[in-house]
Amino acid sequence: MHQETHVTSSNIVRDIIIGMSDGLTVPFALTAGLSGVLDTNHLIIVSGLSEIAAGCISMGLGGFLAGQTEIEHYDAELKREYDEIEKVPDIERKEVEEIFMSMGVDAALSRQVTAQISQDKDKWVDFMMRFELGLDKPDKNRAYQSAITIALAYMAGGVIPLAPYLIFTDNQLGFYWSCIITILALVVFGYFKSRVTAQPLLKGTLKVAFTGILAAAAAYTIAKLIS
Amino acid sequence: MHQETHVTSSNIVRDIIIGMSDGLTVPFALTAGLSGVLDTNHLIIVSGLSEIAAGCISMGLGGFLAGQTEIEHYDAELKREYDEIEKVPDIERKEVEEIFMSMGVDAALSRQVTAQISQDKDKWVDFMMRFELGLDKPDKNRAYQSAITIALAYMAGGVIPLAPYLIFTDNQLGFYWSCIITILALVVFGYFKSRVTAQPLLKGTLKVAFTGILAAAAAYTIAKLIS
């Protein structure tokens, strides 16, 4: 039997990936950078936790507001399309016909299909939204859920690089262990991300690990240079 | 004359908005948080610059790799669709017919339209990509451009809250001025963002400013609590 196996990872998994990508990378890079110039772990922990708080809110609330805006934008365009098919139905019908002709349908048949679609106003507007404007209906509840998921994933990612500085009092030791467990976490995360998004496993894993390591190296270098 | 005024902000503007949103927020919040617990501006500047480096790379490189993955995913699905119309053309034709029937077109006409679309393999695959899978063709050059734009915008946003700590030696004074110019910058940025994305100006501006202020307040509170 023929089976369609296109990959569609769920929204919640996508949000976890978004939050954890940055959560594992930025606090790791920042604390690594500071460990090279600060003598006490205490300030590294303060910086790390401040960054996690800031990052959580910026990504979570930012994502929430972006989601809200998307809903408002969709609703505004929806209203506009209903207005247009009311006021200038012939122009809107012409637009539908042109979309079909661009798909390789001849003029006569395009007109017939358009006539059928435009009989039901809801389906007609739905067609314009998806095929003229390329807008999918956003889920009203997703903005909240998405914001919380991203923020929690950022937090979960962020505490991993921070933990060794809490355990070890020596900042060099904290730095080494932070590198070890974070790179390990990046590899595990990269592996699962690659599986979920159906990427080649080795390449996908290396991409994630490389991003985190490069960010940390840059932060470390900059901190060393200016201190 | 009837004119369509749907808003489509260009990709580069969208990337500037993505980078600057976080660039104005996270380094502002982090340095504000640290200003409450550090006596010297020097460490605030080191932390701020490390964060900007880490954030730039995480967002820029992360965006670049995500863009690459999107292209790979699109190409893989494209190949699969070409394979499918080759191997199981009847099933694929049935899928096209079902899409039309869901648009409100009757069975007979759906079959006719499908027959025409499926005459040209490229148009047929194109139809499946857009209307079955909801995938738009990603621009191959955009991943680079997008990464650089986001990283530069993050950097440009990030130096604003940092500048006062460079100018004033007193960290309290640095903090006050950082708040003043960053909130001003958030308001200006929020205003332009709202204009470009066609949101209500006041509400859109307040959203942006509020996110930055809340993130900074949280980072400040956390830094104070644990130090």
Side-chain angles (χ1 to χ4, degrees), chain B:
Chain B
M1 218 205 101
H2 166 74
Q3 214 163 354
E4 302 256 335
T5 48
H6 303 290
V7 182
T8 49
S9 51
S10 77
N11 285 327
I12 202 156
V13 169
R14 205 184 58 98
D15 288 336
I16 290 173
I17 289 174
I18 290 172
M20 198 162 273
S21 286
D22 274 13
L24 272 172
T25 306
V26 183
F28 170 50
L30 176 68
T31 50
L34 294 179
S35 77
V37 296
L38 292 178
D39 294 329
T40 133
N41 277 4
H42 183 64
L43 284 177
I44 297 174
I45 293 163
V46 172
S47 302
L49 289 177
S50 291
E51 205 290 329
I52 292 173
C56 267
I57 290 177
S58 184
M59 286 196 79
L61 189 59
F64 172 69
L65 294 175
Q68 265 199 332
T69 302
E70 198 193 337
I71 290 168
E72 283 163 16
H73 181 228
Y74 184 89
D75 289 346
E77 293 289 348
L78 193 72
K79 198 184 158 300
R80 189 197 299 266
E81 285 297 342
Y82 273 106
D83 285 355
E84 283 177 355
I85 67 169
E86 207 62 61
K87 284 185 202 142
V88 286
D90 293 343
I91 291 170
E92 294 299 302
R93 243 179 238 116
K94 196 96 207 126
E95 284 178 5
V96 177
E97 280 177 40
E98 275 160 16
I99 291 170
F100 280 110
M101 283 161 74
S102 77
M103 293 176 190
V105 179
D106 68 36
L109 198 55
S110 293
R111 210 166 313 126
Q112 276 183 276
V113 178
T114 303
Q116 289 200 357
I117 289 176
S118 62
Q119 261 160 18
D120 181 330
K121 274 182 190 167
D122 295 333
K123 292 208 162 153
W124 188 4
V125 167
D126 197 56
F127 181 90
M128 299 307 284
M129 293 299 285
R130 283 199 54 201
F131 304 135
E132 187 202 5
L133 302 178
L135 293 175
D136 282 316
K137 194 172 175 54
D139 180 349
K140 302 240 170 195
N141 294 318
R142 245 188 67 63
Y144 288 96
Q145 197 203 59
S146 176
I148 292 167
T149 310
I150 291 174
L152 288 178
Y154 191 96
M155 219 181 282
V159 297
I160 293 172
L162 219 57
Y165 298 102
L166 287 160
I167 297 166
F168 301 104
T169 46
D170 181 60
N171 67 330
Q172 272 310 97
L173 217 55
F175 172 66
Y176 293 137
W177 279 103
S178 181
C179 288
I180 292 169
I181 66 163
T182 308
I183 291 171
L184 214 67
L186 284 166
V187 167
V188 172
F189 169 67
Y191 174 80
F192 280 104
K193 181 181 166 182
S194 306
R195 283 201 57 162
V196 167
T197 55
Q199 286 178 70
L201 289 182
L202 183 64
K203 202 172 146 194
T205 305
L206 289 178
K207 273 183 187 178
V208 169
F210 178 68
T211 306
I213 293 167
L214 192 71
Y220 190 89
T221 309
I222 283 187
K224 273 280 187 205
L225 282 178
I226 56 170
S227 70

